[in-house]
Amino acid sequence: MKDSRGNAATANKNIVTQTNGPASVVEERLQAALDSDDLGIWDHDLRENTFWASPNIIRMVGIPEGGPASTRLFWEFVHPDDRDGVRQVVRGALAAAVSGHFEVTFRAHRRDLGRLALVRCSAQLVFDQDNRPARMLGVFRDVSDQQEEQVKLFYEAHYDELTGLANQKLLTEQTQSVLDQERPAGCLLLELDGFQEVSDTLGQEAGNRLLQLTAARLTRLLPEGALLSRTTGEEFAVMLPDQDQARPLIQLAEAVHGALLETFMIKDRPVAISGHVGIAFAAPQGCARTLLSDAHLALADAKAAGYGASRVYQPALRKALRARQDMSADLRTAVLGEQFELYYQPQVRLSDGKIVGAEALLRWHHPRRGLLAPGEFLPLLKGSPMARILGDWVIRQACAKGALLHRQGRPLCMAVNLFSAQFKLGGLARMVADTLRETGLPGEGLEIEITERVIINSDNRLKNTLNDLRSLGCQLAFDDFGTGYASLSMLKEFPITRLKVDKSFVDAIHESGEDHAVVQAMIQLAETFGFSITAEGIETEQQAEVLRQLGCREGQGYLFGKPMPWQELYALL
């Protein structure tokens, strides 16, 4: 290879500036380096704009035999997406002109091997006597093999294998980078609704395919610069740099909801899903983790709002979270410290007002807030590990009071509400059997109320448990029947003994033809199946009279008595 002046290009003259050994030894060492398959040496004369390259670089770049080595061929060697970055490094070194050393790694197409390679360039500026850059002397090394494992580890740590999207780690890192650059950022957090049902019915492979199709559909919606990631199983997040206004993200959320409405085809079957969206923002110099936490709070608020909802984070959500956390800690103390008490609401025979049963209802004697009704703590308690412990305590307390009345010859059916955790964790029938035996209460003296939500989300274990409870003689009441999605087939499938008419049908039964017809149909349905029926929420004599005329035999409500401590109920008996 000759340079632009026609002189033979030699390596040792331009590269070696110092040596401690004979020239032959230096040349041998240099030749060994030049013969290395993954190493190439180059020398660029900045004043003459000439370029010398070692044989390995000639092979790497694909310079035609006998052709000139030039900077143009070098830039063609660098991958197009990496050229601007490499140019910035070189320009920065020339502009600084202090140490004169720089390193840069880039992708390049090795024409000799016909593959994309990762190349590391290490270069040194050589200055003239006026201390101006005169030459750039450098080394190319193919580090593809060395970097392959690191690249693989980086990918596994930062990307979701299933969808190819960024994962939460990369999302957090890039969001923090934006905020550290004193730029704001917005976050949209999407959780799919219906994904688990697809996986359960069509299999995990179908669920995975649904996630991939969702990722592709979301990608098409996003503006330039947005980062889409899959953060958890059915959760996706979008980070939008330089965004601090709610309206654009609300509009994007609406577009996301619209995209999800379009049916997916999985295994030649149409699949319909929806989603909930939480939106949050972070100011410059903010914290990426706080931004994601805010988005999760907004998402939880959207899920509580119902189908296909979107919510923007408000500081009140975090305040409410702290309150729930405090309440959760208090709950544990309350359960272990016996701060709970059972109140009892009478259930009466409508024909003569005789008390025939009582529903046991939880009350919490909070040390700071006083007596708390169930609505203030049950939503939190249902998801607490304390639910099973407290639920079993309710059964034991109610059975003990029922057994006391039974021994006195005044039998009263004690109704209790159970938590879903008591069914899911197993052993409920055995626990009830032990309690009945220990207290001496006959099985028919205990009525267990279950809601349609428990039944709808059930499996064969629930049915088996209910059958076991019926075999003990316990009564089984279907609470709030007709207010949700329960089907009539459930009345055949489960061993129900009583239907409870919800208060919402009783409130206007004396003036609403629709409510009157619904309750009448429920009473006829109960008679057909041989169920008992109880109307809840009776507050006026007018309501009670209509129910009597329709054939409803039992009821409960403020007309007959509010929930009261045991001593007050006992006095009424």
Side-chain angles (χ1 to χ4, degrees):
M1 181 66 64
K2 296 183 179 181
D3 61 26
S4 61
R5 289 167 294 195
N7 299 320
T10 58
N12 55 346
K13 176 182 178 181
N14 293 327
I15 298 173
V16 182
T17 56
Q18 288 186 350
T19 178
N20 295 320
S24 60
V25 174
V26 174
E27 292 175 357
E28 288 173 357
R29 292 172 178 169
L30 177 58
Q31 191 60 50
L34 292 174
D35 289 341
S36 174
D37 289 336
D38 62 354
L39 179 68
I41 301 174
W42 54 270
D43 186 357
H44 183 200
D45 189 320
L46 299 173
R47 293 169 299 187
E48 300 291 338
N49 195 27
T50 56
F51 195 91
W52 175 88
S54 69
N56 274 346
I57 289 186
I58 292 173
R59 289 196 299 271
M60 287 182 184
V61 176
I63 300 173
E65 185 175 354
S70 67
T71 54
R72 180 183 63 80
L73 291 173
F74 163 72
W75 288 115
E76 290 180 356
F77 174 56
V78 180
H79 191 283
D81 291 345
D82 293 348
R83 288 173 190 167
D84 286 343
V86 176
R87 283 193 176 99
Q88 289 180 16
V89 172
V90 175
R91 289 169 183 165
L94 290 171
V98 179
S99 67
H101 178 78
F102 65 88
E103 287 190 358
V104 62
T105 302
F106 56 87
R107 290 167 296 173
H109 185 66
R110 284 198 59 171
R111 301 184 186 278
D112 58 329
L113 301 177
R115 64 168 173 82
L116 193 67
L118 193 65
V119 174
R120 178 172 296 150
C121 172
S122 179
Q124 179 73 42
L125 289 176
V126 179
F127 301 93
D128 61 16
Q129 58 186 358
D130 296 325
N131 205 31
R132 291 178 299 184
R135 291 164 46 223
M136 278 193 292
L137 183 65
V139 176
F140 282 173
R141 179 179 292 276
D142 187 334
V143 294
S144 302
D145 293 340
Q146 301 174 23
Q147 296 293 318
E148 183 176 357
E149 186 62 26
Q150 294 182 30
V151 170
K152 180 181 178 183
L153 291 174
F154 179 87
Y155 184 88
E156 291 175 348
H158 292 84
Y159 290 89
D160 173 49
E161 182 179 2
L162 179 65
T163 63
L165 300 177
N167 63 13
Q168 183 164 328
K169 178 177 175 62
L170 183 57
L171 172 72
T172 304
E173 291 176 356
Q174 294 204 11
T175 302
Q176 192 61 57
S177 176
V178 169
L179 298 175
D180 290 344
Q181 295 171 34
E182 299 188 353
R183 301 159 62 192
C187 179
L188 184 152
L189 197 63
L190 164 70
E191 182 175 306
L192 301 182
D193 186 13
F195 165 77
Q196 193 58 52
E197 287 80 357
V198 173
S199 294
D200 291 342
T201 56
L202 301 182
Q204 183 177 352
E205 182 181 348
N208 290 343
R209 182 57 180 159
L210 177 59
L211 292 173
Q212 292 170 336
L213 292 175
T214 301
R217 195 172 288 186
L218 294 175
T219 300
R220 293 194 293 268
L221 292 175
L222 300 183
E224 184 177 354
L227 174 65
L228 175 63
S229 67
R230 180 186 172 212
T231 51
T232 61
E234 60 258 47
E235 185 180 278
F236 295 85
V238 181
M239 187 273 289
L240 295 99
D242 306 312
Q243 186 58 259
D244 58 2
Q245 298 297 316
R247 180 168 295 277
L249 262 70
I250 292 174
Q251 292 174 343
L252 179 59
E254 292 173 352
V256 168
H257 289 308
L260 294 179
L261 286 177
E262 183 181 345
T263 302
F264 292 87
M265 293 301 296
I266 309 290
K267 293 185 175 181
D268 296 326
R269 291 183 57 177
V271 170
I273 60 172
S274 61
H276 300 92
V277 172
I279 297 170
F281 300 91
Q285 295 297 323
C287 175
R289 296 186 184 279
T290 300
L291 172 61
L292 291 174
S293 175
D294 291 348
H296 273 104
L297 287 174
L299 176 61
D301 191 38
K303 291 167 68 175
Y307 175 83
S310 300
R311 289 291 184 270
V312 179
Y313 169 78
Q314 302 293 335
L317 295 176
R318 189 164 296 281
K319 182 178 179 180
L321 173 63
R322 293 193 183 101
R324 289 195 300 273
Q325 291 172 337
D326 292 342
M327 181 74 82
S328 181
D330 290 347
L331 268 175
R332 183 178 294 270
T333 302
V335 172
L336 300 178
E338 299 183 354
Q339 296 175 8
F340 284 96
E341 180 184 359
L342 286 184
Y343 273 42
Y344 299 85
Q345 185 170 33
Q347 297 173 329
V348 305
R349 193 163 55 207
L350 292 179
S351 61
D352 58 7
K354 177 179 174 58
I355 298 176
V356 293
E359 181 177 0
L361 300 166
L362 269 174
R363 295 293 185 269
W364 180 4
H365 291 280
H366 195 282
R368 298 185 304 277
R369 299 174 58 187
L371 186 66
L372 301 183
E376 299 181 75
F377 61 85
L378 276 185
L380 182 61
L381 181 58
K382 288 177 181 178
S384 166
M386 296 290 103
R388 170 68 179 268
I389 298 174
L390 190 57
D392 290 352
W393 176 84
V394 169
I395 293 174
R396 287 193 293 268
Q397 290 293 311
C399 287
K401 294 297 189 290
L404 172 64
L405 295 175
H406 180 74
R407 289 193 295 271
Q408 295 176 349
R410 298 184 291 176
L412 200 67
C413 184
M414 308 300 291
V416 298
N417 297 274
L418 301 188
F419 297 107
S420 59
Q422 292 175 271
F423 292 101
K424 292 178 180 179
L425 295 176
L428 175 63
R430 182 173 61 254
M431 179 268 171
V432 170
D434 292 342
T435 301
L436 293 175
R437 183 180 63 256
E438 293 167 3
T439 60
L441 178 68
E444 58 269 20
L446 177 65
E447 182 172 87
I448 294 174
E449 297 190 3
I450 54 175
T451 63
E452 66 177 28
R453 178 178 293 274
V454 172
I455 289 181
I456 289 174
N457 296 327
S458 69
D459 52 23
N460 286 332
R461 288 179 300 177
L462 173 63
K463 187 185 300 184
N464 294 336
T465 298
L466 295 180
N467 285 326
D468 290 342
L469 291 171
R470 281 296 294 134
S471 68
L472 295 173
C474 299
Q475 308 298 308
L476 299 175
F478 200 160
D479 198 12
D480 302 333
F481 179 72
T483 59
Y485 303 97
S487 65
L488 295 179
S489 63
M490 291 180 178
L491 301 181
K492 293 174 56 179
E493 185 177 356
F494 294 93
I496 304 298
T497 60
R498 181 184 300 274
L499 296 183
K500 299 196 74 175
V501 180
D502 188 71
K503 181 181 185 298
S504 60
F505 298 117
V506 173
D507 287 340
I509 192 171
H510 56 287
E511 56 188 9
S512 168
E514 291 84 357
D515 288 342
H516 187 282
V518 168
V519 175
Q520 184 178 31
M522 291 176 64
I523 293 172
Q524 292 173 349
L525 187 67
E527 291 177 351
T528 300
F529 279 88
F531 299 154
S532 301
I533 191 162
T534 299
E536 296 182 295
I538 304 174
E539 298 181 354
T540 68
E541 182 57 42
Q542 192 175 16
Q543 293 169 343
E545 179 57 31
V546 173
L547 289 165
R548 279 191 287 266
Q549 292 175 3
L550 288 175
C552 182
R553 293 185 175 87
E554 296 179 14
Q556 69 183 87
Y558 284 6
L559 178 64
F560 312 111
K562 295 181 179 181
M564 60 190 73
W566 169 253
Q567 293 82 356
E568 293 183 22
L569 177 68
Y570 189 78
L572 287 178
L573 297 174

PDB file of all heavy atoms in Angstrom, residues 290 293-294 297 313-330 380:
ATOM      1  N   THR A 290     -40.106   7.675  42.172  1.00  0.00           N
ATOM      2  CA  THR A 290     -41.286   8.358  42.689  1.00  0.00           C
ATOM      3  C   THR A 290     -42.316   8.542  41.583  1.00  0.00           C
ATOM      4  O   THR A 290     -43.532   8.400  41.809  1.00  0.00           O
ATOM      5  CB  THR A 290     -40.893   9.719  43.284  1.00  0.00           C
ATOM      6  OG1 THR A 290     -39.969   9.516  44.351  1.00  0.00           O
ATOM      7  CG2 THR A 290     -42.119  10.454  43.807  1.00  0.00           C
ATOM      8  N   SER A 293     -44.050   5.317  41.129  1.00  0.00           N
ATOM      9  CA  SER A 293     -44.922   5.088  42.286  1.00  0.00           C
ATOM     10  C   SER A 293     -46.194   5.917  42.168  1.00  0.00           C
ATOM     11  O   SER A 293     -47.307   5.429  42.439  1.00  0.00           O
ATOM     12  CB  SER A 293     -44.179   5.446  43.576  1.00  0.00           C
ATOM     13  OG  SER A 293     -45.020   5.336  44.699  1.00  0.00           O
ATOM     14  N   ASP A 294     -46.056   7.171  41.742  1.00  0.00           N
ATOM     15  CA  ASP A 294     -47.231   8.023  41.548  1.00  0.00           C
ATOM     16  C   ASP A 294     -48.147   7.433  40.467  1.00  0.00           C
ATOM     17  O   ASP A 294     -49.379   7.446  40.604  1.00  0.00           O
ATOM     18  CB  ASP A 294     -46.805   9.435  41.142  1.00  0.00           C
ATOM     19  CG  ASP A 294     -46.113  10.187  42.274  1.00  0.00           C
ATOM     20  OD1 ASP A 294     -46.172   9.718  43.422  1.00  0.00           O
ATOM     21  OD2 ASP A 294     -45.500  11.243  41.995  1.00  0.00           O
ATOM     22  N   LEU A 297     -50.176   4.633  41.853  1.00  0.00           N
ATOM     23  CA  LEU A 297     -51.299   5.101  42.670  1.00  0.00           C
ATOM     24  C   LEU A 297     -52.448   5.568  41.780  1.00  0.00           C
ATOM     25  O   LEU A 297     -53.621   5.298  42.070  1.00  0.00           O
ATOM     26  CB  LEU A 297     -50.836   6.239  43.574  1.00  0.00           C
ATOM     27  CG  LEU A 297     -49.936   5.841  44.752  1.00  0.00           C
ATOM     28  CD1 LEU A 297     -49.440   7.072  45.485  1.00  0.00           C
ATOM     29  CD2 LEU A 297     -50.682   4.931  45.708  1.00  0.00           C
ATOM     30  N   TYR A 313     -52.504  11.240  38.549  1.00  0.00           N
ATOM     31  CA  TYR A 313     -52.083  11.257  39.957  1.00  0.00           C
ATOM     32  C   TYR A 313     -52.386  12.599  40.604  1.00  0.00           C
ATOM     33  O   TYR A 313     -52.168  13.659  40.026  1.00  0.00           O
ATOM     34  CB  TYR A 313     -50.581  10.977  40.042  1.00  0.00           C
ATOM     35  CG  TYR A 313     -50.027  11.228  41.427  1.00  0.00           C
ATOM     36  CD1 TYR A 313     -50.216  10.306  42.449  1.00  0.00           C
ATOM     37  CD2 TYR A 313     -49.334  12.412  41.717  1.00  0.00           C
ATOM     38  CE1 TYR A 313     -49.730  10.545  43.726  1.00  0.00           C
ATOM     39  CE2 TYR A 313     -48.845  12.663  42.981  1.00  0.00           C
ATOM     40  CZ  TYR A 313     -49.045  11.721  43.985  1.00  0.00           C
ATOM     41  OH  TYR A 313     -48.557  11.967  45.242  1.00  0.00           O
ATOM     42  N   GLN A 314     -52.897  12.512  41.829  1.00  0.00           N
ATOM     43  CA  GLN A 314     -53.117  13.677  42.676  1.00  0.00           C
ATOM     44  C   GLN A 314     -52.465  13.407  44.031  1.00  0.00           C
ATOM     45  O   GLN A 314     -52.479  12.267  44.513  1.00  0.00           O
ATOM     46  CB  GLN A 314     -54.614  13.945  42.873  1.00  0.00           C
ATOM     47  CG  GLN A 314     -55.399  14.171  41.578  1.00  0.00           C
ATOM     48  CD  GLN A 314     -54.995  15.446  40.871  1.00  0.00           C
ATOM     49  OE1 GLN A 314     -54.506  16.388  41.505  1.00  0.00           O
ATOM     50  NE2 GLN A 314     -55.193  15.485  39.551  1.00  0.00           N
ATOM     51  N   PRO A 315     -51.898  14.423  44.668  1.00  0.00           N
ATOM     52  CA  PRO A 315     -51.247  14.204  45.978  1.00  0.00           C
ATOM     53  C   PRO A 315     -52.160  13.544  47.003  1.00  0.00           C
ATOM     54  O   PRO A 315     -51.685  12.838  47.898  1.00  0.00           O
ATOM     55  CB  PRO A 315     -50.857  15.630  46.410  1.00  0.00           C
ATOM     56  CG  PRO A 315     -50.687  16.367  45.119  1.00  0.00           C
ATOM     57  CD  PRO A 315     -51.725  15.800  44.192  1.00  0.00           C
ATOM     58  N   ALA A 316     -53.478  13.749  46.876  1.00  0.00           N
ATOM     59  CA  ALA A 316     -54.406  13.136  47.831  1.00  0.00           C
ATOM     60  C   ALA A 316     -54.340  11.617  47.789  1.00  0.00           C
ATOM     61  O   ALA A 316     -54.620  10.952  48.792  1.00  0.00           O
ATOM     62  CB  ALA A 316     -55.831  13.602  47.546  1.00  0.00           C
ATOM     63  N   LEU A 317     -53.939  11.049  46.637  1.00  0.00           N
ATOM     64  CA  LEU A 317     -53.829   9.588  46.531  1.00  0.00           C
ATOM     65  C   LEU A 317     -52.721   9.060  47.440  1.00  0.00           C
ATOM     66  O   LEU A 317     -52.870   8.008  48.064  1.00  0.00           O
ATOM     67  CB  LEU A 317     -53.561   9.185  45.081  1.00  0.00           C
ATOM     68  CG  LEU A 317     -54.681   9.486  44.075  1.00  0.00           C
ATOM     69  CD1 LEU A 317     -54.236   9.126  42.662  1.00  0.00           C
ATOM     70  CD2 LEU A 317     -55.942   8.718  44.441  1.00  0.00           C
ATOM     71  N   ARG A 318     -51.617   9.782  47.502  1.00  0.00           N
ATOM     72  CA  ARG A 318     -50.530   9.334  48.381  1.00  0.00           C
ATOM     73  C   ARG A 318     -50.910   9.515  49.846  1.00  0.00           C
ATOM     74  O   ARG A 318     -50.551   8.696  50.695  1.00  0.00           O
ATOM     75  CB  ARG A 318     -49.244  10.095  48.054  1.00  0.00           C
ATOM     76  CG  ARG A 318     -48.013   9.524  48.782  1.00  0.00           C
ATOM     77  CD  ARG A 318     -46.729  10.024  48.171  1.00  0.00           C
ATOM     78  NE  ARG A 318     -46.593   9.545  46.800  1.00  0.00           N
ATOM     79  CZ  ARG A 318     -46.189   8.330  46.473  1.00  0.00           C
ATOM     80  NH1 ARG A 318     -45.879   7.452  47.424  1.00  0.00           N
ATOM     81  NH2 ARG A 318     -46.067   7.986  45.212  1.00  0.00           N
ATOM     82  N   LYS A 319     -51.638  10.571  50.118  1.00  0.00           N
ATOM     83  CA  LYS A 319     -52.118  10.769  51.486  1.00  0.00           C
ATOM     84  C   LYS A 319     -53.033   9.627  51.894  1.00  0.00           C
ATOM     85  O   LYS A 319     -52.954   9.106  53.016  1.00  0.00           O
ATOM     86  CB  LYS A 319     -52.841  12.109  51.590  1.00  0.00           C
ATOM     87  CG  LYS A 319     -53.330  12.438  52.987  1.00  0.00           C
ATOM     88  CD  LYS A 319     -54.002  13.804  53.020  1.00  0.00           C
ATOM     89  CE  LYS A 319     -54.509  14.126  54.421  1.00  0.00           C
ATOM     90  NZ  LYS A 319     -55.176  15.467  54.461  1.00  0.00           N
ATOM     91  N   ALA A 320     -53.918   9.221  50.965  1.00  0.00           N
ATOM     92  CA  ALA A 320     -54.824   8.108  51.258  1.00  0.00           C
ATOM     93  C   ALA A 320     -54.042   6.806  51.429  1.00  0.00           C
ATOM     94  O   ALA A 320     -54.398   5.960  52.249  1.00  0.00           O
ATOM     95  CB  ALA A 320     -55.844   7.963  50.133  1.00  0.00           C
ATOM     96  N   LEU A 321     -52.969   6.646  50.646  1.00  0.00           N
ATOM     97  CA  LEU A 321     -52.139   5.442  50.781  1.00  0.00           C
ATOM     98  C   LEU A 321     -51.506   5.389  52.168  1.00  0.00           C
ATOM     99  O   LEU A 321     -51.490   4.329  52.810  1.00  0.00           O
ATOM    100  CB  LEU A 321     -51.062   5.436  49.702  1.00  0.00           C
ATOM    101  CG  LEU A 321     -50.014   4.322  49.818  1.00  0.00           C
ATOM    102  CD1 LEU A 321     -50.674   2.953  49.666  1.00  0.00           C
ATOM    103  CD2 LEU A 321     -48.921   4.503  48.776  1.00  0.00           C
ATOM    104  N   ARG A 322     -50.988   6.505  52.621  1.00  0.00           N
ATOM    105  CA  ARG A 322     -50.377   6.528  53.961  1.00  0.00           C
ATOM    106  C   ARG A 322     -51.423   6.186  55.018  1.00  0.00           C
ATOM    107  O   ARG A 322     -51.127   5.482  55.994  1.00  0.00           O
ATOM    108  CB  ARG A 322     -49.764   7.896  54.227  1.00  0.00           C
ATOM    109  CG  ARG A 322     -48.571   8.231  53.337  1.00  0.00           C
ATOM    110  CD  ARG A 322     -47.821   9.448  53.863  1.00  0.00           C
ATOM    111  NE  ARG A 322     -46.736   9.809  52.973  1.00  0.00           N
ATOM    112  CZ  ARG A 322     -46.792  10.802  52.085  1.00  0.00           C
ATOM    113  NH1 ARG A 322     -47.907  11.518  51.980  1.00  0.00           N
ATOM    114  NH2 ARG A 322     -45.759  11.086  51.322  1.00  0.00           N
ATOM    115  N   ALA A 323     -52.634   6.696  54.808  1.00  0.00           N
ATOM    116  CA  ALA A 323     -53.702   6.397  55.767  1.00  0.00           C
ATOM    117  C   ALA A 323     -54.015   4.908  55.772  1.00  0.00           C
ATOM    118  O   ALA A 323     -54.234   4.305  56.833  1.00  0.00           O
ATOM    119  CB  ALA A 323     -54.947   7.212  55.425  1.00  0.00           C
ATOM    120  N   ARG A 324     -54.038   4.293  54.568  1.00  0.00           N
ATOM    121  CA  ARG A 324     -54.290   2.843  54.504  1.00  0.00           C
ATOM    122  C   ARG A 324     -53.152   2.054  55.143  1.00  0.00           C
ATOM    123  O   ARG A 324     -53.381   1.034  55.801  1.00  0.00           O
ATOM    124  CB  ARG A 324     -54.479   2.418  53.045  1.00  0.00           C
ATOM    125  CG  ARG A 324     -55.777   2.887  52.432  1.00  0.00           C
ATOM    126  CD  ARG A 324     -56.084   2.141  51.145  1.00  0.00           C
ATOM    127  NE  ARG A 324     -55.051   2.307  50.135  1.00  0.00           N
ATOM    128  CZ  ARG A 324     -55.015   3.306  49.258  1.00  0.00           C
ATOM    129  NH1 ARG A 324     -55.954   4.236  49.278  1.00  0.00           N
ATOM    130  NH2 ARG A 324     -54.058   3.378  48.350  1.00  0.00           N
ATOM    131  N   GLN A 325     -51.929   2.520  54.929  1.00  0.00           N
ATOM    132  CA  GLN A 325     -50.794   1.841  55.549  1.00  0.00           C
ATOM    133  C   GLN A 325     -50.866   1.921  57.069  1.00  0.00           C
ATOM    134  O   GLN A 325     -50.588   0.943  57.770  1.00  0.00           O
ATOM    135  CB  GLN A 325     -49.493   2.448  55.026  1.00  0.00           C
ATOM    136  CG  GLN A 325     -49.215   2.146  53.568  1.00  0.00           C
ATOM    137  CD  GLN A 325     -48.035   2.917  53.013  1.00  0.00           C
ATOM    138  OE1 GLN A 325     -47.653   3.970  53.539  1.00  0.00           O
ATOM    139  NE2 GLN A 325     -47.437   2.407  51.935  1.00  0.00           N
ATOM    140  N   ASP A 326     -51.246   3.107  57.564  1.00  0.00           N
ATOM    141  CA  ASP A 326     -51.404   3.253  59.017  1.00  0.00           C
ATOM    142  C   ASP A 326     -52.528   2.352  59.521  1.00  0.00           C
ATOM    143  O   ASP A 326     -52.406   1.701  60.565  1.00  0.00           O
ATOM    144  CB  ASP A 326     -51.711   4.711  59.372  1.00  0.00           C
ATOM    145  CG  ASP A 326     -50.529   5.633  59.110  1.00  0.00           C
ATOM    146  OD1 ASP A 326     -49.401   5.123  58.987  1.00  0.00           O
ATOM    147  OD2 ASP A 326     -50.747   6.849  59.008  1.00  0.00           O
ATOM    148  N   MET A 327     -53.626   2.324  58.762  1.00  0.00           N
ATOM    149  CA  MET A 327     -54.758   1.485  59.151  1.00  0.00           C
ATOM    150  C   MET A 327     -54.389   0.010  59.124  1.00  0.00           C
ATOM    151  O   MET A 327     -54.811  -0.771  59.988  1.00  0.00           O
ATOM    152  CB  MET A 327     -55.938   1.743  58.219  1.00  0.00           C
ATOM    153  CG  MET A 327     -57.184   0.933  58.537  1.00  0.00           C
ATOM    154  SD  MET A 327     -58.044   1.517  60.000  1.00  0.00           S
ATOM    155  CE  MET A 327     -58.984   2.877  59.309  1.00  0.00           C
ATOM    156  N   SER A 328     -53.568  -0.386  58.135  1.00  0.00           N
ATOM    157  CA  SER A 328     -53.137  -1.778  58.045  1.00  0.00           C
ATOM    158  C   SER A 328     -52.319  -2.180  59.260  1.00  0.00           C
ATOM    159  O   SER A 328     -52.493  -3.274  59.806  1.00  0.00           O
ATOM    160  CB  SER A 328     -52.316  -1.981  56.764  1.00  0.00           C
ATOM    161  OG  SER A 328     -51.899  -3.316  56.639  1.00  0.00           O
ATOM    162  N   ALA A 329     -51.428  -1.285  59.679  1.00  0.00           N
ATOM    163  CA  ALA A 329     -50.646  -1.571  60.887  1.00  0.00           C
ATOM    164  C   ALA A 329     -51.548  -1.638  62.114  1.00  0.00           C
ATOM    165  O   ALA A 329     -51.377  -2.496  62.990  1.00  0.00           O
ATOM    166  CB  ALA A 329     -49.570  -0.500  61.064  1.00  0.00           C
ATOM    167  N   ASP A 330     -52.523  -0.736  62.164  1.00  0.00           N
ATOM    168  CA  ASP A 330     -53.469  -0.750  63.282  1.00  0.00           C
ATOM    169  C   ASP A 330     -54.307  -2.026  63.295  1.00  0.00           C
ATOM    170  O   ASP A 330     -54.666  -2.534  64.363  1.00  0.00           O
ATOM    171  CB  ASP A 330     -54.391   0.467  63.215  1.00  0.00           C
ATOM    172  CG  ASP A 330     -53.663   1.772  63.526  1.00  0.00           C
ATOM    173  OD1 ASP A 330     -52.527   1.700  64.027  1.00  0.00           O
ATOM    174  OD2 ASP A 330     -54.232   2.840  63.248  1.00  0.00           O
ATOM    175  N   LEU A 380     -59.986  -2.866  53.429  1.00  0.00           N
ATOM    176  CA  LEU A 380     -58.569  -3.113  53.690  1.00  0.00           C
ATOM    177  C   LEU A 380     -58.358  -4.479  54.323  1.00  0.00           C
ATOM    178  O   LEU A 380     -57.413  -5.197  53.991  1.00  0.00           O
ATOM    179  CB  LEU A 380     -58.024  -2.022  54.605  1.00  0.00           C
ATOM    180  CG  LEU A 380     -56.531  -2.097  54.939  1.00  0.00           C
ATOM    181  CD1 LEU A 380     -55.687  -1.978  53.679  1.00  0.00           C
ATOM    182  CD2 LEU A 380     -56.157  -0.989  55.922  1.00  0.00           C
TER     183      LEU A 380
END
